[in-house]
Amino acid sequence: MPAENILEVHRLSKSVGQGEHQLSILTGVELVVKPAETLALIGESGSGKSTLLGILAGLDDGSEGEVFLLGSPLHEMDEEQRAALRARSVGFVFQSFMLVPTLNALENVQLPALLRGESEAQSREQAKSLLGQLGLSARLTHLPSQLSGGEQQRVALARAFSGRPALLFADEPTGNLDRQTGERIVEQLFSLNRDFATTLILVTHDEQLAARCDRRLRMRDGKLQEEV
């Protein structure tokens, strides 16, 4: 795989079940993603977008094919190796925020850095800086239950960027937010993405959000089709 590519996918297929009950979800997917690109995966519910994202992130296996993430062959790696790669280089933003309910905002953002072995002082200052960028300096000690949906998603954004990831996966990041709050989150997502020169792969139903990306790929019948 050329070193300049963040992600390469070749002949990727995914099926579940066996025999006459086998269901094909992905069929012969091909994809190349370059550094700092923003890419939207769009399509109908059940079209396989989230399945594909999970395989690209090494959270799931394809049935056939090759996936190279940051030059590493995910299809040849065990879960421990994949987890180490994600910890070093990948960030995630989910529709459901996925914050640890017993940790406050600052601790939630610090957690990935601490798990990577960074010092308490370094991770704390970085977390405070990111939360400040997102307008949450007054919310550092608040638990997720004390934050609005928009505030929780901003904490999730700060956490995702805390490791300065080479690649960020965002799965319906505005799906649980009202339109106005969602628009603010999108502005902050793309602003941070520019600041950190991160490659972004975004799963969304929102055509307006998808239009902000450099490329749009539609999942249809288990295949990816690039839209212009």
Side-chain angles (χ1 to χ4, degrees):
M1 167 179 167
E4 67 269 16
N5 294 331
I6 290 286
L7 186 69
E8 277 201 27
V9 179
H10 299 297
R11 304 175 301 280
L12 176 65
S13 296
K14 175 70 172 181
S15 299
V16 295
Q18 294 182 339
E20 62 183 30
H21 301 293
Q22 187 175 69
L23 174 64
S24 178
I25 301 173
L26 302 174
T27 307
V29 171
E30 299 281 337
L31 178 64
V32 175
V33 182
K34 297 190 177 299
E37 272 196 307
T38 57
L39 178 69
L41 297 179
I42 56 179
E44 300 298 323
S45 294
S47 63
K49 303 186 302 298
S50 293
T51 298
L52 176 59
L53 185 145
I55 295 172
L56 299 183
L59 297 169
D60 192 9
D61 290 308
S63 301
E64 296 179 5
E66 300 176 330
V67 180
F68 296 90
L69 177 60
L70 299 164
S72 298
L74 292 182
H75 53 285
E76 296 178 356
M77 298 166 68
D78 62 29
E79 180 49 43
E80 185 175 344
Q81 292 170 320
R82 294 179 190 181
L85 177 60
R86 287 194 297 270
R88 291 193 306 270
S89 305
V90 178
F92 293 91
V93 180
F94 300 98
Q95 178 177 340
S96 55
F97 316 140
M98 303 291 284
L99 301 178
V100 180
T102 56
L103 299 182
N104 64 33
L106 184 63
E107 292 165 339
N108 264 285
V109 178
Q110 274 188 276
L111 183 59
L114 292 173
L115 292 175
R116 287 192 300 271
E118 295 180 22
S119 71
E120 168 72 24
Q122 179 183 3
S123 63
R124 183 180 180 84
E125 286 309 306
Q126 184 180 61
K128 287 174 67 176
S129 175
L130 279 164
L131 288 166
Q133 281 183 253
L134 293 169
L136 292 173
S137 293
R139 296 287 204 231
L140 301 184
T141 60
H142 286 62
L143 296 172
S145 61
Q146 298 170 312
L147 301 172
S148 69
E151 289 171 334
Q152 290 185 64
Q153 193 61 302
R154 279 186 278 166
V155 173
L157 280 180
R159 180 185 59 190
F161 282 98
S162 67
R164 288 175 163 73
L167 175 61
L168 177 69
F169 291 103
D171 192 357
E172 299 285 0
T174 61
N176 280 340
L177 303 173
D178 62 75
R179 170 62 67 175
Q180 186 175 13
T181 303
E183 288 174 355
R184 288 199 298 270
I185 292 296
V186 166
E187 290 299 329
Q188 291 169 323
L189 170 61
F190 278 91
S191 177
L192 285 171
N193 206 63
R194 288 190 299 270
D195 291 346
F196 287 85
T198 301
T199 303
L200 172 65
I201 298 181
L202 173 70
V203 170
T204 183
H205 287 98
D206 187 333
E207 296 283 351
Q208 289 183 318
L209 175 53
R212 297 190 56 159
C213 294
D214 299 327
R215 297 164 60 198
R216 292 187 302 160
L217 296 173
R218 184 175 295 277
M219 287 295 308
R220 182 179 285 124
D221 299 326
K223 297 182 182 293
L224 275 182
Q225 301 174 349
E226 187 144 8
E227 299 202 333
V228 295

